[in-house]
Amino acid sequence: MEFNENFILGCSAIGAGLAVIAGIGPGVGQGIAAGHAASAVGRNPGAQSQIRSMMLLGQAVAETTGLYGLLIAFLLLFLKPLLP
Amino acid sequence: MEHGILLSGGSDVDFMIHGVFKYSFFGHEVWITTTHVCLFLVILILCGFSVAAGRCMRKAAARAASGEVSDETPGGFQNVVELIVEKLDNMVDTSMEKFAPGYYNYIGTVFIFILVSNISGLLGLRPPTADYGVTLPLALVTFLLIRVNKWRYQKPLTIWEDYCSPLPKWLPIWVPINIISNLAVPVSLSLRLFANVLSGTAMMALVYGLLGVFASIWPAALHVYFDLFSGAIQTYVFCMLTMTYISNEIGDGVRH
């Protein structure tokens, strides 16, 4: 069975869509981090700036996995590595 | 769609790196790309700023030395320069404590460079940090600093125990896995910065490319988020992670 170019491009688009599902995890994780940071500020308002910087750091690290998925989607959509 | 991303070529949705001209380097075909041009512009901006800042501070020092200053308040530009230096030094101080003085210069330089690179999307350039060839060297320098500090401040036996870490030191089964996890540091550090800036660039290219004339004034709000906010956060994160990794390796700072 021979695959033509359009079939491969369509499958790449589906794969890109599936890869971006990786964004769910970081979304949940960042939400949890922000929620805990909010409750921490509620308990200890004096440490607000420190808590904020720690939250941003943790969220940025958690974001990495989602960005990997996004990167794969970009590769599939714009560099088209699967085309012969 | 020339008004969207200036140095990005002609077609409508396009945020790729483009070659400007090519030359032959020992038989290899090498391209000067838009990344080089944008990088050069960023460096030019930074050089201009630092020359102006240096001249301003030298003038202030000369005035202080001549003894006519006691009631003189610093002018506008001097205030800005001092504020930047103070904020950066404070950031290094809070995370590296007594080892901060050795890293003021490096962290400050990297911070300003990445920040201006990320923000250069506002000037219509394609941000240089949206090219993996720019972020990987930055992360490799961090990696080198981590390794060098590990060997400077830890005994070889401790390093070996670290590599076998969950298991006792006579059972080195986990060594390859620990080595891989060490090698993942520069990869994740560079990919995080690269993917964040690239996603912002791609998003802006999509808005300008697909909406055409409808994307007139309101994309400024998107610029504020993708270029300013995201760029500043990623800059901060890159520098904080670099400092955290380095101070992890330094530990209590006793040279053996």
Side-chain angles (χ1 to χ4, degrees), chain B residues 23-34:
Chain B
Y23 61 98
S24 170
F25 183 74
F26 292 120
H28 290 281
E29 197 178 81
V30 185
W31 281 88
I32 293 291
T33 62
T34 47

Side-chain angles (χ1 to χ4, degrees), chain B residues 16-45:
Chain B
M16 289 295 168
I17 304 159
H18 294 277
V20 177
F21 69 91
K22 67 177 176 185
Y23 61 98
S24 170
F25 183 74
F26 292 120
H28 290 281
E29 197 178 81
V30 185
W31 281 88
I32 293 291
T33 62
T34 47
T35 305
H36 293 97
V37 178
C38 297
L39 211 49
F40 182 72
L41 289 176
V42 166
I43 290 170
L44 219 58
I45 293 170

Side-chain angles (χ1 to χ4, degrees), chain B residues 113-195:
Chain B
F113 170 68
I114 298 178
L115 186 67
V116 175
S117 296
N118 288 351
I119 287 179
S120 68
L122 286 179
L123 308 177
L125 306 176
R126 188 185 186 282
T129 33
D131 185 340
Y132 196 54
V134 176
T135 58
L136 183 65
L138 289 172
L140 284 179
V141 173
T142 298
F143 182 66
L144 202 69
L145 280 175
I146 297 170
R147 294 294 106 194
V148 166
N149 278 309
K150 196 180 184 84
W151 283 100
R152 265 169 81 189
Y153 288 102
Q154 292 180 19
K155 291 190 190 73
L157 190 65
T158 333
I159 294 173
W160 175 248
E161 274 173 11
D162 248 22
Y163 274 125
C164 312
S165 92
L167 294 174
K169 61 177 176 240
W170 43 264
L171 196 61
I173 297 174
W174 283 88
V175 172
I177 293 175
N178 278 326
I179 287 176
I180 288 173
S181 80
N182 279 338
L183 291 179
V185 167
V187 175
S188 78
L189 210 55
S190 56
L191 275 181
R192 180 178 305 122
L193 182 59
F194 164 66

Side-chain angles (χ1 to χ4, degrees), chain B residues 1-245:
Chain B
M1 292 316 115
E2 288 291 343
H3 58 273
I5 295 173
L6 215 81
L7 289 166
S8 71
S11 71
D12 43 8
V13 179
D14 190 5
F15 54 89
M16 289 295 168
I17 304 159
H18 294 277
V20 177
F21 69 91
K22 67 177 176 185
Y23 61 98
S24 170
F25 183 74
F26 292 120
H28 290 281
E29 197 178 81
V30 185
W31 281 88
I32 293 291
T33 62
T34 47
T35 305
H36 293 97
V37 178
C38 297
L39 211 49
F40 182 72
L41 289 176
V42 166
I43 290 170
L44 219 58
I45 293 170
L46 288 179
C47 283
F49 181 79
S50 53
V51 166
R55 182 175 294 171
C56 174
M57 294 313 286
R58 216 173 298 128
K59 215 176 278 176
R63 253 178 311 163
S66 63
E68 37 147 320
V69 279
S70 54
D71 60 335
E72 198 174 351
T73 50
F77 187 63
Q78 192 189 342
N79 261 331
V80 172
V81 173
E82 283 183 7
L83 185 78
I84 293 172
V85 173
E86 240 165 61
K87 288 284 173 198
L88 288 175
D89 285 2
N90 264 341
M91 190 185 76
V92 183
D93 267 333
T94 49
S95 68
M96 299 197 73
E97 288 155 12
K98 62 175 172 166
F99 301 101
Y103 292 93
Y104 283 155
N105 289 338
Y106 174 64
I107 301 289
T109 309
V110 165
F111 191 96
I112 293 175
F113 170 68
I114 298 178
L115 186 67
V116 175
S117 296
N118 288 351
I119 287 179
S120 68
L122 286 179
L123 308 177
L125 306 176
R126 188 185 186 282
T129 33
D131 185 340
Y132 196 54
V134 176
T135 58
L136 183 65
L138 289 172
L140 284 179
V141 173
T142 298
F143 182 66
L144 202 69
L145 280 175
I146 297 170
R147 294 294 106 194
V148 166
N149 278 309
K150 196 180 184 84
W151 283 100
R152 265 169 81 189
Y153 288 102
Q154 292 180 19
K155 291 190 190 73
L157 190 65
T158 333
I159 294 173
W160 175 248
E161 274 173 11
D162 248 22
Y163 274 125
C164 312
S165 92
L167 294 174
K169 61 177 176 240
W170 43 264
L171 196 61
I173 297 174
W174 283 88
V175 172
I177 293 175
N178 278 326
I179 287 176
I180 288 173
S181 80
N182 279 338
L183 291 179
V185 167
V187 175
S188 78
L189 210 55
S190 56
L191 275 181
R192 180 178 305 122
L193 182 59
F194 164 66
N196 257 296
V197 182
L198 180 72
S199 67
T201 311
M203 217 68 89
M204 294 319 296
L206 287 177
V207 167
Y208 283 125
L210 296 180
L211 294 183
V213 286
F214 298 109
S216 55
I217 294 169
W218 58 269
L222 293 180
H223 270 298
V224 167
Y225 178 74
F226 286 122
D227 289 335
L228 279 180
F229 181 73
S230 186
I233 294 272
Q234 287 311 312
T235 310
Y236 178 71
V237 164
F238 188 92
C239 292
M240 281 306 279
L241 283 178
T242 300
M243 288 186 288
T244 313
Y245 283 129

Side-chain angles (χ1 to χ4, degrees), chain A residues 1-2 25 32-33 35 37 48 57-58 66 77 81-82 84:
Chain A
M1 194 168 151
E2 198 170 315
I32 291 174
Q48 190 176 7
L57 196 66
L77 281 183
L82 299 183

